[in-house]
Amino acid sequence: MYRTVTRSIQVTVQPSFVEDDSSAGESRYVWAYTIEIVNLGLENVKLRSRFWRITDGRGHTEEVRGIGVIGKEPSLKPGESFEYTSGCPLSTPSGIMVGTYQMQTDDGEMFSVDIPAFSLDIPNAARILH
């Protein structure tokens, strides 16, 4: 599990390898990740957009931007949380994801919230140390 707090917004990520949707022979490796966003602050916030930087095991980086998450722009009052699950395919058996959410307060102020960097690794895979 990976967790970070930015401006009283806590983001927790739990990645998992999806073996049934993956195929080493086709260089297709799929991960699901569940994210919980908790408003630990005193003001209402709304998630407006997301930004992801996805890096595969060869160092190839892809950037993804979009409105909201899973088709939603959740609003969180103090103490409320929102959880969702999404996925990421890679052509290598490992990678890293990191990103940010753009949040907006009721008075219109926009601010960024960090999504912690998290590792995408096949369970029990052989590791090579350099």
Side-chain angles (χ1 to χ4, degrees), residues 10-29:
Q10 177 179 279
V11 179
T12 304
V13 183
Q14 180 66 53
S16 60
F17 180 62
V18 185
E19 188 170 0
D20 291 347
D21 292 339
S22 300
S23 171
E26 296 174 11
S27 295
R28 179 175 168 78
Y29 304 90

Side-chain angles (χ1 to χ4, degrees), residues 1 5 8 16 21 23 25 29 31 38 42 50-51 54 57 67-68 74-76 85 87 93-95 100 109 119 128:
M1 183 171 8
V5 177
S8 299
S16 60
D21 292 339
S23 171
Y29 304 90
W31 283 266
V38 182
L42 300 175
R50 69 191 181 284
F51 166 75
I54 306 163
I67 295 172
S75 293
L76 299 173
T85 300
S94 65
T100 57
E109 180 189 357
S119 155
I128 299 172

Side-chain angles (χ1 to χ4, degrees), residues 2-130:
Y2 303 82
R3 178 174 290 146
T4 190
V5 177
T6 308
R7 195 171 153 173
S8 299
I9 305 299
Q10 177 179 279
V11 179
T12 304
V13 183
Q14 180 66 53
S16 60
F17 180 62
V18 185
E19 188 170 0
D20 291 347
D21 292 339
S22 300
S23 171
E26 296 174 11
S27 295
R28 179 175 168 78
Y29 304 90
V30 179
W31 283 266
Y33 53 88
T34 299
I35 295 185
E36 180 187 43
I37 304 165
V38 182
N39 184 352
L40 302 173
L42 300 175
E43 57 190 341
N44 298 334
V45 297
K46 185 169 189 165
L47 191 156
R48 290 299 192 176
S49 64
R50 69 191 181 284
F51 166 75
W52 287 108
R53 180 174 297 115
I54 306 163
T55 305
D56 70 15
R58 293 186 196 97
H60 172 77
T61 299
E62 179 181 347
E63 294 185 350
V64 178
R65 299 174 194 277
I67 295 172
V69 291
I70 63 165
K72 299 177 181 180
E73 293 180 60
S75 293
L76 299 173
K77 294 177 183 171
E80 289 186 336
S81 65
F82 177 79
E83 183 175 288
Y84 72 97
T85 300
S86 192
C88 176
L90 291 179
S91 61
T92 61
S94 65
I96 295 174
M97 289 180 67
V98 65
T100 57
Y101 294 124
Q102 284 296 308
M103 307 295 278
Q104 185 175 27
T105 65
D106 281 349
D107 64 9
E109 180 189 357
M110 300 291 287
F111 64 97
S112 291
V113 170
D114 293 332
I115 303 168
F118 57 97
S119 155
L120 304 171
D121 294 304
I122 294 176
N124 305 316
R127 304 280 192 259
I128 299 172
L129 300 176
H130 298 280

